[in-house]
Amino acid sequence: MPTELISPGGVLRVELTLKEKRLHFQLFRGRVALTEPSLIGIVVNQRDRSAGLFGITLSTPITISKPLSRRFFAPQATCKRTAATLTAFGPGGAELLVDFRLFDDGLAYRYRLPGRGEPGGRCHIFYEESSVVVPDGATLWLQDSPVSMKCCEGIWENKKIGEVHADRSGPVVVALPNNSGYLALLEGENFGRDWSGSKYQVVGPRIRHVFSHDPDGFWIESANFTSPWRIVTAATDLNGLVRAPVLDALMPLPDPKLFAEGKTWVRPGRCAWSWWHDDRVDLETQKRFIDLASELGFEYNVIDGGWWNSMKPGQSQWDLLKEICDYGKARGVAQWVWTAQEGTRDPANHWRQMREEFDRFKATGVVGLKIDFIDSDAQAARRWCSAALRHGAERKLMLNFHGANVPTGEAQSWPNEVSREGIYGLEQNKWGTIPSQHYAALPFTRFLAGHGDFTPGYFGHDLNRLKGTSWTLQLACGIAYSNGLLHWAGTPEDIRATFPKDSPERELFVSIPALWDDTQVLPGAQIGQIAPILRKSGKFWFIGVIGGPTTQRFQLDTRLLGPGTWKLLEISDHPARPDAWNVASRTIRTGEALLTQLRPLGGYVARLERA
């Protein structure tokens, strides 16, 4: 007979069974099976802890309620889940512990060993059986290969079950057959665990967590371990998928000694950024962009790669950084600086190399580091990221990881991780072209794992840089995509020309924040076709609509906003030109429909406040 758990609201049910002496789970919504029976388990020190089992027991389920401390949106104050621990028994007695957490919108589980661990105190983790078998007729949204396997910068594409047999970076999103909803496969809390990072092996309908960058497994240097969470979120629509709090709710709260409430030094914000259009990083170039940031009220400027070769005669690279920081400080603009991981990679002497490098940066006055070329999901890379978060926090340095794996909830426990790449972003248009479906797929795929440094915002007239998109789509990306360090890619000259002083378009542009209070996906959303996102910041509601490859009509039922009269400021596509737009201001009443036409790869942006 199966053992089962019920979510707090009775929405989801998970059955836990032994089939052929191996542990399986199956997830249900009512009578609808969201997954087929799916094998879970782990091989530790050459023993398959999921094989040869003859019995399972489940602890008495309890309901846990935990406050949510989301950094980008907060749909509810607390989140409930049903918690229980399964013990699997084999010939040697208790073989494996599996902690389960069942939410109304998802399932999570992780592994532990019974007792005090293995003799000798070391554990070799060879592989996991952690998997999901999806129903026939499902469609998968995946990153393409091979680039996605290194720095997680793949193009998002949809494939039918059976069309792909390969490893991919996550998350993996499943559109279930018969319009029965969506699943998302995620990894949670893979920091401070000394674990290897998950990729996803797709073979037919089975999707399994694999250690592609540690193919022979890895060693845990402790008497026991707790694995990262294996997460399956489940929703009936895309709004539920995006708003599912499962990943964030599982994360430990930040260390109060490093992140004292009410006294935090972590500040998400917007930044000017020279590299995408003008990769010169000398003092005069940075002054131009700092002046722009100051004029627009942006919090930051980003000094990108090559700054170490831009000194004046007799000046050291650290003197140059300090000079730029001092110039920015006098204008209310703090500085981030690009650096490569290579100079901090050595773990010897408790990461002495990293600590000394971070100290040098801190002494110049920079507030954050944009660290690049991590390019690995191996245990060693995960270990480095955990060390960087801690040593950065101890020095009050914010971090933005580039050339990196997708996040696993780090920002909930380490708020100094303000952003992370792990995304095929606008930089690709410098040397290629982003496919049309990619823009409208991202809010429902990559961004389910957390923030992403996409770097939108080209507002010039070089159509070879727009690559088929419109100014309106570029602006909408700043609303629809979550990023605590919101880079805008435009030059001072382009931005001043596109957003003239005292114009309504500038008023809207400078009011777009890097931190949100709430997020909703509007009706009509389709992965890869159209992404209409509604977000709240203070007194304002913002709408950012990202169009796909075809001309589309978007309509908003304003009853979603609640009763009243609203001041509307909107920017819509110019029908004839991608490098122009239509700007309008008016007052509307709840019940009036907002209707706009989107050109291919077009967009729509609006800001509303109560009149």
Side-chain angles (χ1 to χ4, degrees), residues 3-15:
T3 297
E4 68 176 21
L5 285 173
I6 309 294
S7 69
V11 176
L12 297 182
R13 173 172 58 91
V14 62
E15 288 188 356

Side-chain angles (χ1 to χ4, degrees), residues 405-579:
N405 52 284
V406 299
T408 66
E410 285 86 348
Q412 300 300 312
S413 302
W414 295 93
N416 60 318
E417 182 184 303
V418 175
S419 188
R420 183 182 286 248
E421 194 178 27
I423 192 169
Y424 193 86
L426 190 71
E427 68 175 12
Q428 304 295 333
N429 274 356
K430 288 188 73 169
W431 43 74
T433 301
I434 299 175
S436 57
Q437 86 281 357
H438 183 74
Y439 292 96
L442 286 174
F444 316 118
T445 52
R446 163 62 180 84
F447 281 102
L448 299 179
H451 50 207
D453 197 4
F454 184 85
T455 63
Y458 176 63
F459 301 111
H461 297 284
D462 183 350
L463 299 187
N464 193 47
R465 287 183 178 271
L466 276 175
K467 296 290 175 69
T469 68
S470 71
W471 280 359
T472 320
L473 179 143
Q474 293 290 323
L475 187 60
C477 289
I479 297 170
Y481 299 161
S482 297
N483 187 7
L485 188 64
L486 180 52
H487 290 53
W488 288 110
T491 65
E493 295 75 21
D494 285 341
I495 286 178
R496 289 188 179 109
T498 305
F499 302 97
K501 191 174 182 180
D502 298 324
S503 67
E505 51 266 46
R506 177 178 282 206
E507 179 187 345
L508 192 156
F509 177 55
V510 300
S511 66
I512 296 173
L515 191 68
W516 299 99
D517 301 325
D518 197 1
T519 295
Q520 297 180 44
V521 178
L522 295 171
Q526 290 182 273
I527 305 178
Q529 295 297 316
I530 186 170
I533 308 296
L534 176 68
R535 309 193 91 161
K536 188 175 187 296
S537 176
K539 66 179 181 178
F540 294 122
W541 283 99
F542 291 83
I543 300 170
V545 183
I546 297 174
T550 60
T551 301
Q552 299 177 75
R553 288 163 63 89
F554 168 72
Q555 182 170 325
L556 171 68
D557 184 347
T558 54
R559 289 176 295 182
L560 288 170
L561 302 171
T565 303
W566 300 84
K567 290 192 292 184
L568 170 69
L569 174 54
E570 63 180 348
I571 301 178
S572 56
D573 281 332
H574 191 286
R577 293 177 54 191
D579 56 339

Side-chain angles (χ1 to χ4, degrees), residues 273-332:
W273 178 48
S274 63
W275 179 86
W276 194 80
H277 198 283
D278 184 347
D279 56 9
R280 290 174 295 175
V281 285
D282 58 89
L283 177 60
E284 293 309 311
T285 299
Q286 296 310 305
K287 283 181 177 181
R288 288 173 48 229
F289 281 83
I290 290 170
D291 290 344
L292 174 70
S294 179
E295 177 183 330
L296 299 176
F298 288 179
E299 293 82 1
Y300 302 117
N301 174 63
V302 177
I303 309 163
D304 222 287
W307 54 270
W308 50 85
N309 293 321
S310 304
M311 299 84 72
K312 293 178 288 189
Q315 186 183 46
S316 76
Q317 61 189 38
W318 305 106
D319 291 337
L320 171 63
L321 275 188
K322 187 176 187 308
E323 187 174 4
I324 297 173
C325 288
D326 289 346
Y327 184 87
K329 185 176 181 180
R331 288 151 184 81

Side-chain angles (χ1 to χ4, degrees), residues 115-180:
R116 296 178 59 83
E118 293 290 274
R122 298 182 79 209
C123 292
H124 180 254
I125 311 299
F126 185 32
Y127 68 86
E128 294 184 26
E129 292 287 6
S130 311
S131 62
V132 173
V133 179
V134 300
D136 286 341
T139 298
L140 305 181
W141 279 90
L142 306 148
Q143 294 190 52
D144 69 348
S145 188
V147 177
S148 76
M149 291 298 293
K150 184 179 180 184
C151 54
C152 301
E153 296 176 24
I155 298 165
W156 286 90
E157 57 185 8
N158 57 319
K159 297 287 186 181
K160 293 290 187 182
I161 292 296
E163 290 183 343
V164 58
H165 298 274
D167 293 359
R168 292 288 190 267
S169 289
V172 176
V173 175
V174 182
L176 295 168
N178 304 316
N179 295 317
S180 53

Side-chain angles (χ1 to χ4, degrees), residues 41-44 47-51 53 88 94-96 113-114 118:
I42 189 170
V43 177
V44 183
R47 292 174 58 197
D48 187 347
R49 300 299 182 118
S50 55
L53 303 177
E95 295 282 357
L96 184 66
L113 290 185
E118 293 290 274

